[in-house]
Amino acid sequence: MAAFSSDDELTRAQRVHTSIVATVTAGKRSVPFTIENISVSGAKLEGPLSLKQGEHIIILFEAAGHSVQLTAEVMRVETPDLMTDQIAARFIDPSAADREVIQHLVNKLLDEQDEGNDQLLIDQE
């Protein structure tokens, strides 16, 4: 299984803010995490499971009526308090179908954000 090959590819992928609830599994432990942002190459998540950089996890969530299960590598871990970890995860070999579902989700959320910004501009006029 090959991860995305470069940090440039990770930063090029368009990210969108979310509050999707996902289940993260590491070994025999499965706990709910919140996906704070997502792109086709990875995600930032927050939850109550202590993880280590380099650890492989499984992320399971629903998007556009589809169940998406992805293997990911933990790239960064921040611990803002004793009960919560924030992680950056890079997806490892997502299927074409999963990439398509994630891209559709990203596009939909970006469109919704643009519509909200357009409405804000109209309201300010």
Side-chain angles (χ1 to χ4, degrees), residues 65-81:
H66 296 87
S67 180
V68 179
Q69 181 173 313
L70 302 159
T71 301
E73 179 182 2
V74 177
M75 303 303 293
R76 186 177 61 250
V77 178
E78 296 174 4
T79 307
D81 59 55

Side-chain angles (χ1 to χ4, degrees), residues 77-97:
V77 178
E78 296 174 4
T79 307
D81 59 55
L82 294 174
M83 300 302 291
T84 306
D85 271 6
Q86 295 176 339
I87 65 165
R90 176 171 54 182
F91 302 142
I92 300 171
D93 290 336
S95 71

Side-chain angles (χ1 to χ4, degrees), residues 96-114:
D98 286 340
R99 285 180 65 91
E100 187 176 318
V101 168
I102 294 167
Q103 187 63 60
H104 176 76
L105 172 67
V106 168
N107 291 342
K108 179 178 179 249
L109 292 171
L110 285 171
D111 287 346
E112 289 173 4
Q113 289 175 3
D114 286 344

Side-chain angles (χ1 to χ4, degrees), residues 110-123:
L110 285 171
D111 287 346
E112 289 173 4
Q113 289 175 3
D114 286 344
E115 288 173 9
N117 289 339
D118 289 347
Q119 186 61 44
L120 181 61
L121 290 174
I122 292 168
D123 290 345

Side-chain angles (χ1 to χ4, degrees), residues 4-100:
F4 282 93
S5 59
S6 74
D7 288 337
D8 287 343
E9 189 169 349
L10 288 175
T11 55
R12 277 196 313 251
Q14 204 161 23
R15 295 182 191 141
V16 63
H17 293 285
T18 73
S19 57
I20 297 170
V21 176
T23 299
V24 170
T25 302
K28 295 180 180 180
R29 305 167 296 165
S30 293
V31 298
F33 268 64
T34 300
I35 300 175
E36 294 186 339
N37 70 49
I38 192 167
S39 73
V40 293
S41 61
K44 179 181 178 188
L45 301 98
E46 181 174 287
L49 181 62
S50 181
L51 297 166
K52 295 180 183 133
Q53 185 173 349
E55 189 170 358
H56 285 203
I57 59 174
I58 297 191
I59 303 169
L60 176 65
F61 63 96
E62 295 286 325
H66 296 87
S67 180
V68 179
Q69 181 173 313
L70 302 159
T71 301
E73 179 182 2
V74 177
M75 303 303 293
R76 186 177 61 250
V77 178
E78 296 174 4
T79 307
D81 59 55
L82 294 174
M83 300 302 291
T84 306
D85 271 6
Q86 295 176 339
I87 65 165
R90 176 171 54 182
F91 302 142
I92 300 171
D93 290 336
S95 71
D98 286 340
R99 285 180 65 91
E100 187 176 318

